[in-house]
Amino acid sequence: QVQLVESGGGLVQAGDSLRLSCVGSGRAFSTYNMYWFRQAPGKEREFVASISPSGTDTNYADSVKGRFSISRDNARNTMYLQIDSLKPEDTAFYFCAGKRWGPLSDLTPTTFNSWGPGTQVTVSS
């Protein structure tokens, strides 16, 4: 099992950019499918983006396509989420997750092995 910790969130203005990081503690990080989710106050958890172990395959929610970019550096056990042109509606608690098996597109909660504690992103207008 890999332990995950996010960082990079903060209070920013609309139009700003942020890069979130998710660091894994174990050597198995490079074998995990990795994901970013977010949850705004009073709303359900929302899928944001995913990336395959090698970084070759990526998926994005329709709401973030063109502004968000997911990547990973397995040499540093780190996954990133580059967020450009931030909007107030991007305000949410962002967290990363990983799984050892299964297809990248499977978002069933019980299939995930690791979750990070999250980092808050707040965008003011």
Side-chain angles (χ1 to χ4, degrees):
Q1 189 174 7
V2 171
Q3 184 176 4
L4 305 173
V5 179
E6 304 91 341
S7 64
L11 175 62
V12 298
Q13 295 188 48
D16 286 354
S17 296
L18 280 176
R19 189 182 72 164
L20 308 184
S21 298
C22 174
V23 179
S25 63
R27 294 186 178 184
F29 177 85
S30 62
T31 71
Y32 272 48
N33 287 325
M34 294 297 298
Y35 304 77
W36 285 102
F37 293 89
R38 67 184 182 185
Q39 187 168 18
K43 296 185 177 181
E44 296 182 348
R45 173 182 55 84
E46 178 186 24
F47 165 75
V48 175
S50 61
I51 188 167
S52 62
S54 68
T56 302
D57 299 318
T58 59
N59 293 316
Y60 296 93
D62 289 340
S63 60
V64 305
K65 287 182 178 178
R67 296 189 301 116
F68 287 31
S69 180
I70 190 171
S71 62
R72 66 193 296 165
D73 183 351
N74 288 336
R76 295 193 175 277
N77 274 17
T78 303
M79 177 181 65
Y80 304 97
L81 185 68
Q82 178 68 39
I83 310 175
D84 296 325
S85 301
L86 277 157
K87 302 176 180 180
E89 52 262 44
D90 294 320
T91 295
F93 200 76
Y94 286 71
F95 52 97
C96 62
K99 66 169 71 177
R100 290 170 289 178
W101 305 290
L104 186 66
S105 59
D106 186 2
L107 302 180
T108 305
T110 56
T111 65
F112 289 87
N113 303 108
S114 301
W115 298 85
T119 184
Q120 178 68 39
V121 174
T122 303
V123 185
S124 62
S125 60

